[in-house]
Each structure stands twice: as C-alpha cells, then as structure tokens.
Amino acid sequence: MRTAVKDLSIPDLAGKLAVVTGASDGVGLGLAERLARAGAELVLPVRNPRKGAAAVERIRGAVSDAVVSLRDIDMASLDSVATLAQTLHDEGRPIQILVNNAGVMAPPTRHTTADGLELQFGTNHIGHVALTARLLPLLQAGRARVTTVSSSAARFGRLEWDDLQAERRYSPVRAYNASKLANLLFAIELDRRSRTGGWGITSNVAHPGTTLTNLYTSGPNLGRRRPSPQKAIMARLARWGLFVQEVHAGVQPILYAATSPAAAGGRLYGPDGPGQFTGGPTELPIYRSARKRDDAVRLWELSEQLANVTFAALDPEQTEALRRRAV
C-alpha cells in the first residue's frame, strides 16, 4: 500500500505568466490550479472550449482571485499551433513558465494529425516542438522555465528512424513510448542549446508516474466500438492504493520541475516510489534510452523539419527590448 504524498510547497509566482497545454482536465488541470494558488497568471490553450470553460470555472472556484484565460489550440495541427503562438506574440507578454503537457496515449489503431504525422508522435512531441520554437522570443524575454511532460514509458522507447511515423508497423504502446522518449530527448537538448547559445531558458522534464486521468480513456477508446477496460482497472488499483495515484499526487513532480528553485535544467523528475509508479517528487537518472547525444541532435533537426520551425533566438538587445515593451 502506498503512503500519502506530501503536498509540495512552491514559491510565490505573483507576476509570472504560465502557459500550460492540456489543462482542461487531468494532470494539466491539477497543475494549473496549483500554479494559480501560488499567484501565477494562467493561459490555458485548449482544444475543447466546453471543457476549457469548466476548467476555468473550477480554478476560479478554488482560487477566488485567479487570473486565468483560455486560448484555442489543437496540438495535432501545426496551423493551430502557429495561430496560438502569433496570438501570444501579439499580446506581447513574456512567458515565465511553459508546461508542455498535452498528449494522447495508445489509440488502438493508427491515426494521423492534420499534417499527416502519426497521432502520438505528432501531438505529444512535434506539436510541442512547434509551440516552443514559435514562443522562443517570449520565453527568452521571460527567462522561462520550460517543463516538458514525459512518461516512465520513455524507458522502453525506441526511435525507429526508418519508420518514425509507424507507417509500416504500428503498435499503440511502441508508438506511445517513442513519443515520450522524444519528449525527453527534446527537453534535454533544448536545455543544452539554451546554455550554449545563451538563450536564458531552463528546460527540464518530468513525469507524473501512473496517475488516474482521462488519458487512460480518451486514447485507448479512439476508434473502438467497445469501451477499453483500462480506466476501470486503473480506478480499482487506485482505490486499493496499488501502483496508481490520484491527480493531486501526480502533479507533484511536474510542479517541482516547473517551479522549484532547486530544479535544474537538463534533469528528469518523477515519483520516488518503487518502479516510479507513485510517490513524491525526486530527481531521476536520465533513462538509458535518452543518453545518446547523437540521437538528441538527430531528433532535433528532424523535428524542426517536421514542425516547419527553426529555433531562432533573439540577441540580448532584442530580448531586452521585448521585456521593456511588456512593462
């Protein structure tokens, strides 16, 4: 049986702008509520306006003075990502926290994004590469912390370079694992490039362990006639306190990575319990699957091509001018 996870104390975030993808439910919503409690102003890009409005209502019900607003995005559409990024650029606010959280898990048959990419790789990884690249000037101006949400499944991930979109052979679990490995490689490489190029951004990665959310329903039920049993099984394990934790516990490693002064760039954070299923936040060793720099560089270059972006950093004078404009 697991023990209760102690609630994490986080610093005062008043005056900071936080952008959290996938915050209409689950871990993203739990994280957004905690950031609001700490005083952050929230921008929540969502695909479903109804769920987004319900999320805003919940946050404002929990935090009476919360400053939170919705924006439209579909992480499975690069045009939608570009539109959101332009909207935020037009608003001109530096971003202090970006959490790349939205995702889909293990649809039983192969689906594709609006741009023809395998759905999990395209949504979980390429969509967030595109968003991060397009927001880079605002992230630089905010000296941002960028936390990308991966999964312990990245341990088992493998990038099939000659079939990265799983066109020849699709497996729901293999494709998910690969997308989460890509998240991990991207986050580490972003931090390396920021340090080398003097971008002023800190990039790290976190995972929530095995946390009971709709992720276990939405993806596995995509295209199915009969509901997947996964969420019912997960809920039963959560009631028994075995291998599964509730959202309030699952957000802790991500919250730590995104806000703690002690959380460093290029590091991986997750639960400290056996098997990384449950527990409080801790630094984890980078998984063996993500230790090859050559893989990270190759993925970075390929991802820029697939996302149709380049990471064009501002010089210090441009960054300072953007900060002054926002004051």
Side-chain angles (χ1 to χ4, degrees):
M1 302 291 286
R2 68 172 186 270
T3 56
V5 174
K6 184 179 178 181
D7 203 24
L8 183 69
S9 176
I10 61 177
D12 181 7
L13 301 177
K16 296 185 182 296
L17 180 63
V19 178
V20 183
T21 68
S24 57
D25 60 16
V27 166
L29 177 54
L31 177 68
E33 183 178 321
R34 287 301 312 278
L35 294 174
R37 288 184 184 277
E41 179 180 342
L42 296 175
V43 168
L44 308 183
V46 300
R47 182 174 60 87
N48 185 319
R50 180 184 57 80
K51 290 177 65 177
V56 170
E57 184 177 352
R58 172 176 152 176
I59 292 169
R60 288 176 175 162
V63 187
S64 60
D65 59 348
V67 180
V68 52
S69 57
L70 298 177
R71 302 291 187 279
D72 294 328
I73 197 172
D74 179 356
M75 295 302 303
S77 165
L78 293 176
D79 283 346
S80 178
V81 171
T83 297
L84 170 70
Q86 187 59 57
T87 296
L88 295 178
H89 275 288
D90 290 345
E91 293 169 4
R93 288 281 307 281
I95 297 168
Q96 284 77 33
I97 298 172
L98 171 64
V99 182
N100 291 322
N101 166 72
V104 61
M105 185 180 77
T109 57
R110 185 179 182 273
H111 293 259
T112 57
T113 68
D115 306 283
L117 304 173
E118 188 278 314
L119 183 64
Q120 297 179 86
F121 187 81
T123 302
N124 301 354
H125 172 58
I126 294 297
H128 285 113
V129 170
L131 181 63
T132 306
R134 292 185 181 279
L135 293 180
L136 186 59
L138 298 179
L139 298 171
Q140 284 186 266
R143 300 182 180 91
R145 179 84 59 93
V146 178
T147 296
T148 299
V149 179
S150 182
S151 165
S152 61
R155 287 178 290 185
F156 314 109
R158 180 178 176 183
L159 298 177
E160 301 287 351
W161 298 109
D162 60 347
D163 190 27
L164 204 56
Q165 303 304 322
E167 295 173 291
R168 295 202 297 270
R169 187 178 64 163
Y170 176 78
S171 159
V173 173
R174 279 199 301 268
Y176 180 71
N177 294 353
S179 74
K180 294 287 104 178
L181 173 57
N183 286 150
L184 177 53
L185 287 166
F186 167 68
I188 294 171
E189 185 64 16
L190 175 61
D191 193 71
R192 286 192 190 112
R193 293 186 182 230
S194 176
R195 285 186 282 109
T196 301
W199 298 353
I201 294 167
T202 299
S203 170
N204 58 24
V205 62
H207 78 77
T210 308
T211 299
L212 183 61
T213 70
N214 287 331
L215 193 67
Y216 293 92
T217 302
S218 56
N221 282 329
L222 193 60
R224 288 178 63 102
R225 292 184 177 181
R226 293 183 177 181
S228 165
Q230 276 188 279
K231 191 172 183 183
I233 294 170
M234 295 281 289
R236 191 173 301 121
L237 291 172
R239 287 196 300 271
W240 294 340
L242 296 172
F243 308 119
V244 181
Q245 59 190 0
E246 300 290 345
V247 167
H248 76 273
V251 302
Q252 302 295 315
I254 306 168
L255 191 64
Y256 181 84
T259 67
S260 174
R267 306 296 176 85
L268 169 65
Y269 299 94
D272 62 2
Q276 302 177 20
F277 294 112
T278 63
T282 191
E283 184 180 336
L284 301 170
I286 299 297
Y287 300 141
R288 187 184 301 273
S289 58
R291 293 179 188 171
K292 292 182 180 178
R293 175 74 196 281
D294 288 348
D295 284 349
V297 171
R298 184 176 183 181
L299 178 66
W300 181 280
E301 294 172 350
L302 182 58
S303 297
E304 283 189 318
Q305 295 173 24
L306 292 174
N308 194 29
V309 296
T310 56
F311 280 77
L314 300 180
D315 64 35
E317 288 186 4
Q318 292 172 314
T319 302
E320 187 57 36
L322 183 53
R323 289 190 189 118
R324 287 198 302 269
R325 265 203 318 273
V327 174

